[in-house]
Amino acid sequence: SKHNLAIGGQGSVWLKTDQRWHTSEDAELTVMTDLNLNGHSVEVTSNSQVLLAQKILGEGGITKNGKGVLSLSGKSDFDGPVSVDQGELRVIGALSGTSGVFVEAGRLTGTGTIGKGVDIFESGTLAPGPGLATLGLKSGFAISGTIAIDVDRSVSPSSDQLAWAGEASIEAGAKLVMKNIGAPLEDGDTFQVL
């Protein structure tokens, strides 16, 4: 059976120490109230779904491990790094105050915006979405890993997009992988990604 936990109510959850949150494949965690890191870090090892639905505040860091998905849907303004060591970090809302997002391995996805720099290392992937989507990178990005883009010539816009400002550094060895999710491609099809 599936065991889920939802945390909600008035006010905020304040961390008093560094935290390790772990979910198994048959459990989901949803935090429906603000999370104040309060000078601490939280390591989320999810093998299913974890949703932080409101703001993340304060100073501290977030690390994503496990093969599941960590979704951030609030408008967060915290001071600290976000690291993806495994699995998927899906930014649906806005990360405006972080000191950057660092994808060592796993995937950075979403339809939201990230206000500070994004670094995608050799084993990491940057992939707007799910589905055809735009991911906003307001302070540029550096990539030595993979950019994964979905395309569908039958709709407009016809591909995932990265809306970025600032510098983009695409390192030697970086890969662009395009996946057709729609009508068959034809000679002469073009897609705008950046």
Side-chain angles (χ1 to χ4, degrees):
S1 69
K2 199 171 198 176
H3 304 283
N4 298 329
L5 175 62
I7 300 170
Q10 299 292 324
S12 300
V13 172
W14 284 65
L15 298 186
K16 298 293 183 182
T17 63
D18 290 344
Q19 301 281 308
R20 294 184 77 199
W21 299 354
H22 180 83
T23 63
S24 64
E25 290 180 8
D26 59 351
E28 295 181 5
L29 171 63
T30 303
V31 179
M32 298 295 297
T33 188
D34 292 350
L35 173 64
N36 192 317
L37 297 174
N38 193 32
H40 298 286
S41 63
V42 60
E43 178 183 326
V44 179
T45 302
S46 64
N47 290 309
S48 61
Q49 302 283 329
V50 174
L51 170 62
L52 302 180
Q54 301 299 322
K55 293 185 228 173
I56 304 169
L57 309 163
E59 292 183 16
I62 297 174
T63 300
K64 167 65 182 82
N65 281 307
K67 63 183 179 181
V69 178
L70 170 60
S71 297
L72 308 179
S73 64
K75 292 184 178 180
S76 297
D77 188 17
F78 69 96
D79 185 19
V82 178
S83 300
V84 181
D85 294 339
Q86 188 180 22
E88 179 180 337
L89 174 67
R90 184 176 297 160
V91 178
I92 303 164
L95 287 176
S96 59
T98 69
S99 59
V101 176
F102 306 93
V103 183
E104 295 285 344
R107 297 170 66 85
L108 171 61
T109 69
T111 56
T113 59
I114 300 170
K116 299 287 179 160
V118 171
D119 287 307
I120 309 295
F121 295 95
E122 187 176 333
S123 296
T125 300
L126 176 61
L132 294 182
T134 298
L135 179 62
L137 307 174
K138 292 191 172 189
S139 291
F141 65 96
I143 185 160
S144 57
T146 301
I147 299 175
I149 300 295
D150 289 341
V151 299
D152 182 348
R153 66 183 303 274
S154 66
V155 298
S156 180
S158 59
S159 67
D160 285 332
Q161 304 217 346
L162 297 172
W164 59 278
E167 293 185 24
S169 175
I170 301 174
E171 305 293 330
K175 300 175 197 89
L176 174 63
V177 176
M178 299 181 83
K179 177 182 174 188
N180 182 26
I181 61 171
L185 299 179
E186 296 180 1
D187 286 342
D189 284 341
T190 60
F191 303 96
Q192 180 176 340
V193 176
L194 299 175

